[in-house]
């Protein structure tokens, strides 16, 4: 039997029995076979002592059962860790921060409480996945779109709480910003509602976020101050038309005006998510490009520009999405071209144009389905079964937030590439590296660190290099927006202004709200008092 | 009502056991036909000839098949998810790694387990190395892979199109199909799999 640290066997057995009494014996899991399902499938410490594993799992079906579990946890000082659908791959999956915690699996709480397609919102439970809501909306022919991430099997609540993102208009693809009111089980076992949900009989839970007084919702995201059991989300109405087009720039230095123009267009509401690309990555079977990427110390932008010129391709491109009436899409595209025309040699290409509702064939052939809220698993079929891309066992995402300008992109490419080369790693970052733009007021330099289920030494190197990247980013004023539990402590420590005033503030709240330190210890770098310092 | 066992699947585990050719001849005497579970659907990837042959072999046995192009989304969302919500049903496949990963991640919520998993790697000399793990009742039939040649996946389908209704502790073995292909740069492996109910009848 696996037992949480600091808990006696007799207390743990008593707690497990109390869990069974609360939810039913069949919903309490303790066997190794059962608990293997709660391992992080992409762990960078697979099979090592550092791997985060659960001691048990409990799956409630109602808020009342969640409350009962929390009370039991308090009584016996059992560390618990809540998950929604547990599909946060690359950022920790379903494994707890504090190894030995009991996982509180909320997947059975999968009710869609309400979807309103006149006021454009929904209210859901944590076990509702993007696929679930999409099926609900399509089956009932509701006039709203679900903004989905890639892949679409995750939980709306889980994704939002970890600051996950999608691919449509700014206010919807920032899933945390799109949330509106929540219900939370506090570490005391009490139920609290926020925003307009805090008013009994509220008519506007899914519409107005802030209720009255301090907005406390942020305390429950990437944190451990409560267990979210309901959440509202603003949803986008289905547009009449969808149009996409590509803008390509020929020169590396064009990236400066390029990003300025993108900022203007997006912040003015003209375009949706600008999805970057480049013909210079991946190298595929291009031997010349492979040679450039393998050049010790990295090839220069000029060398990549020369390669692009020889191939007759541009340096960077961006796919832009437009939503609205057909006339609106056309007008916004014309305006877009007018703005980009100041860049010498810029080229434009129209990609897709669909009148909604689309046919099944149109959806099937769509280049990027998530741009219209169609969830899918196609990301798992990318790069499979070719000699140049052998299957890997998963990855840990390194995701540094950088300013939304070309100068910072250039600097980040140089700084991160140098960090890799200095550490003896062939750099996966170079002048061809594009920013991720889901955070619509900042850019993200996203880099995968591939992990192995059979090579512990390789994983150790990954962890060391990841830590180095966190340090390098912080030295340049760039912080990570999200990280797997293995890395959350080192990331949290970089937000250290004024002697870690933020973390000290969070710890003060934690000590007051969760005095027994039972809930998600370590999440967001926030540890309860009895586990702070070297006592973990 | 969803049961405990239909909420969680059981992950694959087992100790290695070498293939003893003599045992293969005894397989048909071990389990009666009446207790065999049928396969609801066989999944093949239209991009890979071995996988197409696998699908054809199931079709020859009157098992419904579904062809994908690497992406299992539509098959799962429009077919398997809806079928599995009604109850666990066996599904087999020979695909690249992505679809298998998706199935492994989701099988628990439907009360399914991975009764068989195979990794089929082309080697530089044109042979195929098969690393198999799963129910011994399936592995007992693996000897035929050795003689399979270029149509080894047809024999593989024969191994996976039915499963005894009572489970046994999983085992592992490795066999090789010689002369399966011309000497070419080896692509990444294909993966065979069989999802079966975690609770047997």
């Amino acid at each position: 039997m696996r037992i949480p640290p600091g808990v006696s066997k007799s207390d743990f057995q008593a707690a497990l029995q109390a869990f069974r009494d609360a939810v039913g014996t069949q919903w309490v899991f303790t066997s190794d076979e059962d608990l293997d399902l709660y391992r992080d499938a992409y762990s960078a410490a697979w099979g090592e002592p550092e791997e985060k594993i659960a001691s048990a799992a409990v799956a409630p079906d109602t808020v009342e059962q969640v409350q009962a579990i929390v009370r039991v946890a308090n009584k016996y000082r059992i560390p618990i860790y809540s998950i929604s659908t547990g599909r946060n791959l690359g950022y920790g999956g379903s494994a707890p921060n504090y190894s030995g915690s009991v996982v509180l699996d909320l997947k059975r709480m999968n009710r869609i409480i309400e979807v309103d397609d006149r006021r454009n919102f929904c209210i859901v439970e944590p076990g509702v996945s993007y696929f679930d809501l999409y099926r609900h909306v399509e089956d009932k022919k509701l006039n709203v779109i679900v903004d989905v991430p890639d892949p679409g099997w995750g939980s709306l609540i889980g994704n939002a709480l970890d600051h996950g993102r999608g691919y449509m208009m700014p206010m919807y693809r920032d899933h945390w910003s799109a949330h509106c009111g929540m219900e939370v089980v506090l570490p005391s076992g009490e139920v609290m509602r926020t925003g307009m949900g805090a008013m009994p009989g509220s008519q506007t839970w899914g519409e107005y976020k802030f209720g009255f007084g301090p907005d406390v919702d942020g305390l429950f995201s990437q944190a451990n101050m409560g267990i979210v059991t309901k959440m509202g989300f603003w949803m986008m109405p289905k547009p009449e038309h969808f149009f996409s087009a590509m803008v390509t720039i020929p020169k590396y230095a064009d990236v400066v005006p390029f990003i300025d123009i993108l900022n203007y267009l997006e912040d003015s509401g003209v375009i949706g998510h600008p999805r970057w690309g480049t013909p210079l990555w991946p190298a595929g079977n291009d031997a010349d490009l492979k040679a450039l990427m393998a050049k010790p110390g990295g090839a220069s932008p000029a060398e990549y520009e020369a390669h692009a010129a020889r191939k007759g391709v541009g340096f960077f491109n961006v796919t832009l999405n437009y939503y609205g009436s057909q006339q609106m899409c056309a007008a916004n595209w014309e305006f877009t071209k007018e703005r980009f025309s100041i860049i010498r040699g810029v080229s434009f290409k129209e990609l897709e144009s669909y009148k909604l509702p689309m046919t099944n064939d149109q959806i099937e052939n769509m280049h990027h389905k998530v741009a219209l809220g169609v969830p899918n698993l196609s990301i798992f079929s990318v790069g499979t079964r070719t000699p140049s891309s052998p299957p890997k066992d998963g990855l840990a995402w390194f995701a540094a937030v950088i300013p939304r300008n070309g100068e910072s992109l250039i600097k980040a490419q140089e700084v991160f590439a140098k960090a890799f080369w200095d550490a003896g790693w062939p750099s996966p970052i170079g002048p061809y590296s594009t920013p991720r733009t889901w955070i619509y007021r900042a850019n993200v330099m996203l880099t995968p660190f591939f992990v192995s289920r059979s090579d512990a030494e390789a994983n150790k190197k990954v962890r060391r290099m990841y830590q180095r990247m966190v340090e390098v980013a912080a030295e340049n004023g760039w912080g990570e927006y999200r990280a797997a539990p293995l890395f959350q402590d080192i990331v949290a420590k970089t937000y250290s202004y004024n002697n870690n005033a933020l973390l000290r503030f969070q710890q003060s709240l934690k000590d007051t709200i969760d005095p027994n330190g039972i809930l998600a210890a370590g999440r967001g770098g926030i540890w309860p008092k009895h586990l702070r310092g070297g006592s973990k | 009502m969803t049961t405990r066992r239909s909420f969680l699947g059981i992950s694959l585990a087992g100790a290695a056991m070498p293939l003893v050719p003599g045992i293969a001849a005894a397989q048909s005497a071990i389990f009666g036909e009446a207790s065999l579970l049928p396969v609801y659907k066989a999944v093949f990837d239209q991009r890979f000839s071995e996988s197409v042959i696998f699908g054809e072999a199931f079709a020859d046995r009157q098992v419904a098949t579904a062809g994908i192009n690497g992406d299992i989304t539509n098959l799962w969302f429009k077919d398997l998810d809806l079928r599995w919500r009604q109850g666990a049903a066996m599904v087999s496949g020979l695909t690249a790694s992505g679809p298998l990963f998706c199935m492994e991640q989701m099988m628990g919520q439907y009360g399914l387990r991975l009764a068989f998993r195979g990794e089929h790697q082309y080697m530089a000399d044109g042979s195929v190395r098969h690393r198999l793990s799963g129910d011994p009742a399936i592995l007992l039939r693996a000897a035929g892979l050795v003689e399979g040649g270029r149509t080894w996946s047809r024999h593989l389908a024969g191994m996976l199109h039915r499963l005894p209704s009572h489970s046994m502790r999983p085992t592992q073995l490795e066999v090789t199909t010689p002369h399966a292909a011309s000497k070419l740069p080896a692509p990444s492996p294909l993966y065979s799999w069989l999802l079966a109910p975690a609770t047997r009848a």
Side-chain angles (χ1 to χ4, degrees):
Chain A
M1 170 187 268
R2 306 179 195 180
I3 299 176
V7 178
S8 70
K9 186 176 179 182
S10 58
D11 275 355
F12 190 49
Q13 286 175 326
L16 289 175
Q17 186 55 51
F19 289 151
R20 293 184 186 105
D21 293 341
V23 302
T25 298
Q26 61 190 356
W27 302 114
V28 178
F29 312 108
T30 56
S31 73
D32 287 347
E33 283 174 317
D34 291 346
L35 297 179
D36 278 350
L37 294 174
Y38 293 100
R39 295 174 80 175
D40 175 11
Y42 283 8
S43 176
W46 187 268
E48 297 181 61
E50 290 84 351
E51 184 185 352
K52 312 287 188 180
I53 58 170
S55 59
V58 187
D61 186 35
T62 64
V63 175
E64 291 75 19
Q65 289 180 3
V66 174
Q67 292 179 273
I69 290 165
V70 169
R71 292 191 195 105
V72 170
N74 270 303
K75 179 177 178 180
Y76 295 103
R77 305 294 197 267
I78 308 295
I80 58 176
Y81 182 85
S82 61
I83 64 170
S84 303
T85 57
R87 301 259 158 78
N88 199 11
L89 297 178
Y91 294 113
S94 50
N97 279 62
Y98 184 41
S99 209
S101 297
V102 173
V103 168
L104 183 57
D105 186 341
L106 302 176
K107 206 185 293 113
R108 291 177 67 213
M109 296 179 67
N110 58 1
R111 298 168 192 84
I112 297 170
I113 310 292
E114 183 178 2
V115 182
D116 188 308
D117 68 346
R118 292 172 60 205
R119 295 180 289 161
N120 305 313
F121 70 85
C122 68
I123 299 174
V124 297
E125 288 190 328
V128 174
S129 73
Y130 290 97
F131 276 110
D132 292 336
L133 187 59
Y134 176 78
R135 193 189 290 285
H136 178 88
V137 165
E138 293 302 304
D139 285 352
K140 294 190 179 304
K141 296 183 172 35
L142 299 174
N143 198 42
V144 283
I145 288 187
V146 186
D147 189 290
V148 302
D150 225 347
W153 59 8
S155 154
L156 277 86
I157 289 180
N159 186 269
L161 289 175
D162 205 30
H163 298 169
R165 315 282 157 167
Y167 295 92
M168 297 199 304
M169 295 299 283
M171 70 285 283
Y172 304 110
R173 75 169 185 266
D174 181 336
H175 293 158
W176 175 248
S177 293
H179 97 277
C180 187
M182 55 173 66
E183 176 184 88
V184 184
V185 175
L186 296 174
S188 63
E190 269 196 293
V191 180
M192 178 179 79
R193 289 182 176 179
T194 70
M196 292 310 297
M199 172 170 284
S202 167
Q203 301 294 302
T204 52
W205 177 333
E207 293 177 280
Y208 182 59
K209 298 184 181 195
F210 304 116
F212 186 78
D215 176 26
V216 300
D217 285 18
L219 292 175
F220 307 104
S221 71
Q222 289 191 346
N224 49 16
M225 309 291 179
I227 299 165
V228 179
T229 50
K230 290 182 184 65
M231 190 181 274
F233 289 94
W234 290 347
M235 299 180 77
M236 178 171 158
K238 275 184 182 157
E240 293 179 8
H241 202 88
F242 171 81
F243 174 80
S244 68
M246 182 179 283
V247 181
T248 301
I249 52 173
K251 302 286 187 189
Y252 180 69
D254 293 336
V255 76
V256 174
F258 193 53
I259 294 181
D260 287 349
I261 296 168
L262 284 173
N263 292 350
Y264 177 83
L265 292 172
E266 182 154 39
D267 296 349
S268 302
V270 175
I271 60 173
H273 169 243
R275 184 159 63 95
W276 283 64
T278 174
L280 302 174
W281 185 90
N285 294 321
D286 188 326
D288 293 337
L289 199 49
K290 283 183 180 176
L292 285 178
M293 289 181 177
K295 186 174 179 181
S300 68
E303 290 174 286
Y304 282 103
E305 259 187 22
H307 176 86
R310 282 194 299 273
K311 296 285 185 178
V313 298
F315 204 107
F316 289 122
N317 58 62
V318 69
T319 299
L320 302 176
N321 298 326
Y322 300 84
Y323 306 88
S325 68
Q326 188 167 11
Q327 297 92 321
M328 283 169 61
C329 293
N332 284 336
W333 173 231
E334 288 306 309
F335 181 67
T336 299
K337 286 189 288 185
E338 182 185 308
R339 283 278 166 166
F340 276 113
S341 293
I342 64 167
I343 299 176
R344 190 174 174 186
V346 69
S347 60
F348 306 106
K349 182 180 178 184
E350 297 181 8
L351 297 176
E352 296 174 292
S353 182
Y354 297 115
K355 180 179 184 309
L356 272 67
M358 294 164 67
T359 65
N360 286 335
D361 281 347
Q362 287 176 324
I363 294 173
E364 198 52 39
N365 293 315
M366 200 179 164
H367 289 176
H368 198 221
K369 295 184 177 65
V370 292
L372 266 178
V374 179
N376 63 87
L377 302 170
S378 63
I379 198 168
F380 295 112
S381 61
V382 171
T384 53
R385 210 178 186 224
T386 64
S388 59
S389 58
K392 302 172 181 66
D393 293 328
L395 50 82
W397 288 117
F398 171 76
V401 180
I402 64 171
R404 214 171 34 141
N405 58 46
E407 294 88 346
S408 295
L409 175 63
I410 291 169
K411 183 178 179 186
Q413 291 170 345
E414 291 170 353
V415 166
F416 287 135
K418 183 176 186 299
F420 275 106
W421 289 113
D422 286 351
W425 284 52
S427 175
I429 295 176
Y432 48 83
S433 296
T434 58
R436 295 298 192 272
T437 53
W438 332 286
I439 300 175
Y440 62 94
R441 285 289 185 163
N443 283 340
V444 171
M445 287 301 286
L446 187 74
T447 305
F449 280 85
F450 294 106
V451 300
S452 169
R453 289 194 181 185
S454 56
D455 190 342
E457 282 309 306
N459 286 344
K460 287 184 172 69
K461 289 180 183 171
V462 161
R463 299 200 298 271
R464 282 196 295 269
M465 191 64 212
Y466 191 106
Q467 173 154 2
R468 180 62 193 139
M469 293 290 281
V470 170
E471 293 164 356
V472 166
E475 289 164 8
N476 288 272
W478 309 321
E480 285 62 62
Y481 91 99
R482 196 173 174 186
L486 269 178
F487 306 111
Q488 286 177 14
D489 282 343
I490 58 172
V491 170
K493 286 184 170 66
T494 63
Y495 290 84
S496 59
Y497 175 77
N498 188 25
N499 190 29
N500 299 292
L502 176 61
L503 185 57
R504 288 187 285 114
F505 178 73
Q506 292 163 343
Q507 287 170 347
S508 298
L509 292 174
K510 178 67 171 172
D511 293 345
T512 301
I513 294 171
D514 184 12
N516 294 323
I518 56 148
L519 187 55
R523 180 122 180 91
I526 305 164
W527 291 91
K529 187 176 285 186
H530 72 281
L531 293 176
R532 286 206 279 269
S535 51
K536 291 190 277 296
Chain B
M1 182 178 76
T2 306
T3 66
R4 172 188 188 280
R5 292 288 289 226
S6 66
F7 178 77
L8 279 179
I10 305 299
S11 59
L12 193 62
M17 184 175 87
L19 176 66
V20 180
I23 291 179
Q27 59 159 336
S28 61
I30 296 176
F31 306 114
E33 290 286 336
S35 62
L36 295 174
L37 298 174
V39 169
Y40 163 70
K41 195 149 288 184
V43 181
F44 65 96
D45 193 315
Q46 294 164 337
R47 301 170 299 168
F48 310 127
S49 58
E50 312 93 322
S51 192
V52 172
I53 291 171
F54 178 84
E56 287 172 348
F58 270 95
D60 290 345
R61 291 176 168 84
Q62 282 76 55
V63 175
T65 62
I68 65 173
N69 281 301
D71 183 359
I72 202 163
T73 304
N74 281 346
L75 173 62
W76 168 74
F77 187 66
K78 296 177 180 177
D79 183 342
L80 301 181
D81 179 49
L82 298 172
R83 174 60 185 86
W84 284 332
R85 285 173 192 237
Q86 297 171 18
M90 293 220 299
V91 174
S92 184
L94 179 61
T95 62
S97 59
L100 171 58
F101 178 77
C102 292
M103 293 294 98
E104 286 177 313
Q105 291 297 303
M106 295 197 285
M107 63 184 180
Q109 69 195 62
Y110 302 111
L112 293 166
R113 67 184 178 96
L114 198 59
F116 175 87
R117 185 184 196 277
E119 179 191 89
H120 311 279
Q121 172 72 66
Y122 276 85
M123 311 304 286
D125 63 359
S127 65
V128 179
R129 183 190 68 201
H130 308 281
R131 287 180 169 163
L132 314 174
S133 54
D135 197 300
I138 300 172
L139 298 186
L140 284 173
R141 301 195 286 268
L145 285 173
V146 178
E147 295 104 30
R150 291 171 185 262
T151 58
W152 58 267
S153 58
R154 177 170 289 278
H155 181 83
L156 181 66
M159 291 167 59
L160 298 181
H161 89 280
R162 55 187 182 174
L163 186 69
S165 58
H166 58 277
S167 62
M168 294 176 68
R169 185 175 173 77
T171 59
Q172 299 172 6
L173 65 85
E174 182 174 315
V175 297
T176 299
T177 304
H179 316 302
S182 305
K183 293 181 184 181
L184 293 170
S188 301
L190 283 176
Y191 293 85
S192 56
W193 40 276
L194 178 66
L195 296 175
T199 304
R200 300 290 192 90

